[in-house]
Amino acid sequence: MVRFDSTMLLREEMDQQTREVSNALFTIKYLYEAGAKIILASDWSVTSNPKLVLAESVADFLSSILQCKVVPVSCISCNIPPKMEGLEKADIFLLENLSEFKEEVANCSKFAQMLSSGVDIFVNDSFSQSHKILASTVGVTRFCHSCVAGFYFEESLCQLKKVAETSRNPYVAVIGGGNFFDKAAALHFLASRCDGLVFVGRMSFQIMHALGVSVPLNFVEHGALREALDIVRFAQNRDIQILYPKDFWCKNDCLPGKLELFPAHSILDGWVPVDLGPMSLGEINSLLTECKKVIWIGPVKFSNSNQHTNGASKLAQMLDLLSQSNCDLTVVGNMACKVIMQESSSISEFNMLENASVVWEFLKGRKLPGVTALDRAYPFEINWNATYCDPMQPLVVDIGSGNGLFILGMARKRKDLNFLGLEINEKLVWRCLDSVQQSTIKNGYFIATNATSTFRSIVSSYPGKLVLVSIQCPNPNFNKPEYRWRMLQRALVEAVADLLTSDGKVFLQSDIEAVAVRMREQFLKYGKGKLSVVHDQDAEINRGWLEENPFGVRSDWEQHVIDRGAPMYRLMLSKSTGVE
């Protein structure tokens, strides 16, 4: 299944020669030419292309640009898998418009499982949706054997990471748009990386207000003054330049069609800024001329009118000149990218990211769910030397570590091992890390992540041996016990089997026998023949289950179950000697 980007492949005016569109098409063509049966999935609206409403018309459009037959599929629901009629007669199918299903936005597990019915490999090529948690981008990864990025997604991610790099200086950020309060964290990030900040949109009024420049209060965003003052102080402490507009072209509703030029600090009542003035553009040009790296993010826009875009065009022309002098240029947002494509003679020299929301989320320091859900897509490298005193010690990993009682207890008991807890609940991880910091523990650590998708990428980078993996009482807070097994997917089992050292162990336990049975079945089925159940005398007496916890350290949920007098169902598996 390929989750494609409708804003990229279904737009009314599409240039197939652009790098982004070419990569998006190449993902599908590559799979098709490799002999794969492909299910295409996406959401679309008339804003992208008014001619494309029904799945049939979208399928015809895709058939024309892919030069191969795309067959529409009907009957998507939570209870009925899509009907792949004529499976033997076609290789590419298109699901119905996902925007018509509330289960998509809700990341409904049942809907995601239905979407991925019969799918072996999921390919996410919809980078513009990577900041959202959707059934078709995040939910489906729990049910597929392998989840990878498409060529367009991967290229966009590489461009996004370049934004944080500071290898080329001077580096200047040209910042447009509004919502200063919401983007304050991102602006702090840019201020920490860049040598200059240029404000060209509605946010410029917040900066001017913080700097003490007189501006009409109706242009100032309510509640954003403290954040603006923080940005100004931070920039001044780093001795980086802040540039804001010195003049504006303004309009007056009482004088339609007339534009008047005003200094930024003396805009008369009744006049509303609509574009940058010549003095502002001259200052920007002087600053950018010396730059080696520039990011332009957000529209050059001060009102709801789209009629006045001369400032954006002038800015695009400045960047076009810079592109000829080996300057690293990144353009973010639909408006900025559109203007660049109109004004630039060398579009290939620009890194273009059309969805600004994704970039803003990245700049705020937030993880992108669509990225972290993919195999081997863990968003940062772990410095194991800083994590543990001795990163060569054997490693124990607890998947779904919860409140961390097992990891913390074991770390105190076994100083000769390193312990790592993987937990999807970030708040629990923060508490665990606080406990580690406040204690004398030097061999315990926790990471907030979805281990189903990231276990392989995290553990494979560890320099020592993986000797034990434990999964204890998965999802204990779910009201429906039958849902508890869903965190354990084939990809995770295979990763554990591959990375575990010879004679390494897997410890499984649950207070629900059916869950323990299913975990045992999954490891035996998908363990590639490398894992076998360890039998001992107690287990034989207790219907195959271990009567006692072999480590003498209980997890938080295990302790809760024991306290109420309920049974635990435990077993140990071992990796065969000599199998790596």
Side-chain angles (χ1 to χ4, degrees):
M1 182 165 78
V2 177
R3 179 42 159 103
F4 70 91
D5 196 326
S6 61
T7 62
M8 188 63 53
L9 291 187
L10 301 183
R11 63 180 57 168
E12 191 168 14
E13 297 178 1
M14 183 180 63
D15 183 358
Q16 296 189 33
Q17 302 306 312
T18 64
R19 185 173 58 196
E20 294 77 14
V21 173
S22 177
N23 279 333
L25 291 172
F26 185 46
T27 295
I28 303 171
K29 290 180 178 178
Y30 175 87
L31 295 167
Y32 174 72
E33 291 171 2
K37 294 279 186 179
I38 303 169
I39 299 173
L40 300 177
S42 192
D43 56 346
W44 58 84
S45 66
V46 293
T47 56
S48 297
N49 191 333
K51 299 175 183 176
L52 304 180
V53 179
L54 300 177
E56 289 77 7
S57 58
V58 174
D60 289 342
F61 182 80
L62 291 172
S63 297
S64 65
I65 62 175
L66 291 169
Q67 296 297 301
C68 51
K69 183 64 175 176
V70 177
V71 178
V73 174
S74 59
C75 298
I76 295 180
S77 75
C78 276
N79 299 314
I80 307 173
K83 294 181 179 179
M84 303 298 179
E85 296 176 354
L87 186 63
E88 70 287 347
K89 298 180 181 179
D91 293 311
I92 305 180
F93 299 87
L94 173 70
L95 296 184
E96 292 178 73
N97 190 347
L98 295 180
S99 64
E100 297 178 2
F101 300 90
K102 62 181 184 296
E103 295 90 351
E104 160 75 346
V105 177
N107 188 25
C108 171
S109 180
K110 196 172 183 180
F111 185 71
Q113 187 174 19
M114 181 278 303
L115 285 178
S116 56
S117 176
V119 173
D120 297 305
I121 300 173
F122 169 67
V123 181
N124 191 349
D125 217 20
S126 182
F127 189 74
S128 66
Q129 303 292 335
S130 60
H131 62 305
K132 298 178 181 179
I133 302 176
L134 304 174
S136 67
T137 60
V138 175
V140 295
T141 62
R142 299 173 60 194
F143 305 102
C144 297
H145 171 55
S146 182
C147 307
V148 298
F151 295 113
Y152 164 63
F153 192 104
E154 185 177 21
E155 172 69 16
S156 299
L157 187 60
C158 289
Q159 292 180 16
L160 184 62
K161 290 180 178 179
K162 288 180 181 178
V163 172
E165 296 175 0
T166 56
S167 55
R168 307 198 67 188
N169 300 98
Y171 178 13
V172 168
V174 181
I175 305 163
N179 300 319
F180 193 102
F181 182 87
D182 181 60
K183 297 169 182 172
L187 297 175
H188 263 287
F189 179 85
L190 289 172
S192 70
R193 291 293 195 276
C194 298
D195 304 297
L197 302 177
V198 179
F199 290 89
V200 295
R202 291 194 299 272
M203 276 193 276
S204 58
F205 293 114
Q206 323 311 322
I207 290 295
M208 294 160 67
H209 185 49
L211 288 169
V213 178
S214 177
V215 293
L217 290 180
N218 60 314
F219 296 158
V220 177
E221 182 183 328
H222 178 70
L225 179 59
R226 178 181 294 180
E227 282 70 23
L229 287 169
D230 286 344
I231 295 294
V232 169
R233 283 193 288 264
F234 186 77
Q236 290 173 342
N237 289 337
R238 284 200 67 227
D239 195 27
I240 67 172
Q241 185 174 358
I242 292 183
L243 204 62
Y244 58 87
K246 302 302 188 296
D247 58 348
F248 295 105
W249 286 107
C250 300
K251 70 174 183 177
N252 192 318
D253 290 338
C254 297
L255 301 170
K258 183 177 181 181
L259 293 177
E260 192 74 33
L261 187 65
F262 288 97
H265 61 275
S266 57
I267 300 174
L268 298 180
D269 291 342
W271 291 88
V272 178
V274 293
D275 208 350
L276 296 170
M279 183 183 298
S280 301
L281 290 169
E283 282 193 347
I284 294 172
N285 188 50
S286 297
L287 179 62
L288 295 185
T289 301
E290 304 299 323
C291 290
K292 294 299 180 184
K293 183 172 183 176
V294 177
I295 177 175
W296 174 16
I297 178 170
V300 181
K301 184 177 173 182
F302 300 93
S303 70
N304 293 327
S305 172
N306 291 316
Q307 299 175 358
H308 311 282
T309 58
N310 185 59
S313 298
K314 293 289 186 183
L315 179 57
Q317 292 167 15
M318 296 177 202
L319 296 181
D320 187 42
L321 287 175
L322 283 175
S323 70
Q324 301 170 26
S325 59
N326 196 31
C327 182
D328 187 346
L329 300 166
T330 300
V331 181
V332 181
N334 291 327
M335 186 282 292
C337 290
K338 183 177 181 180
V339 176
I340 286 291
M341 286 189 281
Q342 292 172 345
E343 300 291 340
S344 175
S345 57
S346 53
I347 298 176
S348 60
E349 300 300 320
F350 290 82
N351 300 314
M352 292 195 287
L353 296 162
E354 294 197 23
N355 192 301
S357 297
V358 175
V359 182
W360 282 119
E361 290 300 296
F362 172 78
L363 295 177
K364 291 175 188 176
R366 297 176 182 172
K367 296 175 185 176
L368 301 177
V371 176
T372 58
L374 301 179
D375 299 343
R376 303 172 183 84
Y378 203 64
F380 56 83
E381 295 181 0
I382 299 168
N383 185 347
W384 297 109
N385 289 313
T387 302
Y388 300 113
C389 287
D390 181 3
M392 292 305 297
Q393 287 191 158
L395 180 68
V396 174
V397 178
D398 187 32
I399 299 174
S401 52
N403 288 319
L405 293 187
F406 179 75
I407 287 291
L408 296 172
M410 288 292 287
R412 293 186 183 98
K413 186 176 181 180
R414 294 290 303 271
K415 303 292 186 182
D416 59 323
L417 300 173
N418 288 334
F419 295 87
L420 176 64
L422 304 180
E423 169 59 48
I424 200 168
N425 188 323
E426 289 192 23
K427 291 183 179 179
L428 293 180
V429 171
W430 294 337
R431 293 176 196 166
C432 292
L433 290 173
D434 285 340
S435 299
V436 170
Q437 190 172 13
Q438 293 170 14
S439 67
T440 58
I441 294 175
K442 303 297 183 182
N443 60 333
Y445 192 67
F446 297 85
I447 296 175
T449 184
N450 181 354
T452 303
S453 299
T454 62
F455 179 90
R456 186 184 295 273
S457 59
I458 294 173
V459 178
S460 63
S461 67
Y462 184 74
K465 293 182 178 181
L466 176 65
V467 296
L468 174 66
V469 174
S470 63
I471 303 177
Q472 307 182 49
C473 307
N475 303 330
N477 294 323
F478 277 13
N479 293 324
K480 296 184 178 181
E482 64 270 20
Y483 286 179
R484 297 190 185 187
W485 58 267
R486 291 187 176 178
M487 66 161 281
L488 187 59
Q489 300 298 317
R490 177 176 176 175
L492 176 59
V493 174
E494 291 186 345
V496 171
D498 288 342
L499 298 177
L500 205 62
T501 190
S502 294
D503 290 329
K505 301 294 191 292
V506 177
F507 177 58
L508 307 173
Q509 71 170 341
S510 175
D511 58 318
I512 305 295
E513 186 172 14
V515 174
V517 169
R518 183 173 182 87
M519 288 196 294
R520 178 174 62 192
E521 292 174 347
Q522 293 286 84
F523 270 92
L524 294 177
K525 181 178 180 180
Y526 299 124
K528 302 181 179 180
K530 301 176 181 179
L531 300 171
S532 58
V533 176
V534 176
H535 294 282
D536 63 13
Q537 188 173 0
D538 289 339
E540 291 177 5
I541 295 173
N542 201 29
R543 293 189 300 135
W545 304 114
L546 297 175
E547 187 172 353
E548 297 292 337
N549 184 324
F551 306 106
V553 177
R554 294 170 178 168
S555 69
D556 46 327
W557 188 257
E558 181 185 7
Q559 186 62 55
H560 172 74
V561 172
I562 298 299
D563 289 344
R564 71 170 190 251
M568 291 295 299
Y569 302 91
R570 311 179 180 94
L571 72 146
M572 188 81 72
L573 298 101
S574 178
K575 185 171 180 178
S576 302
T577 304
V579 178
E580 291 292 348

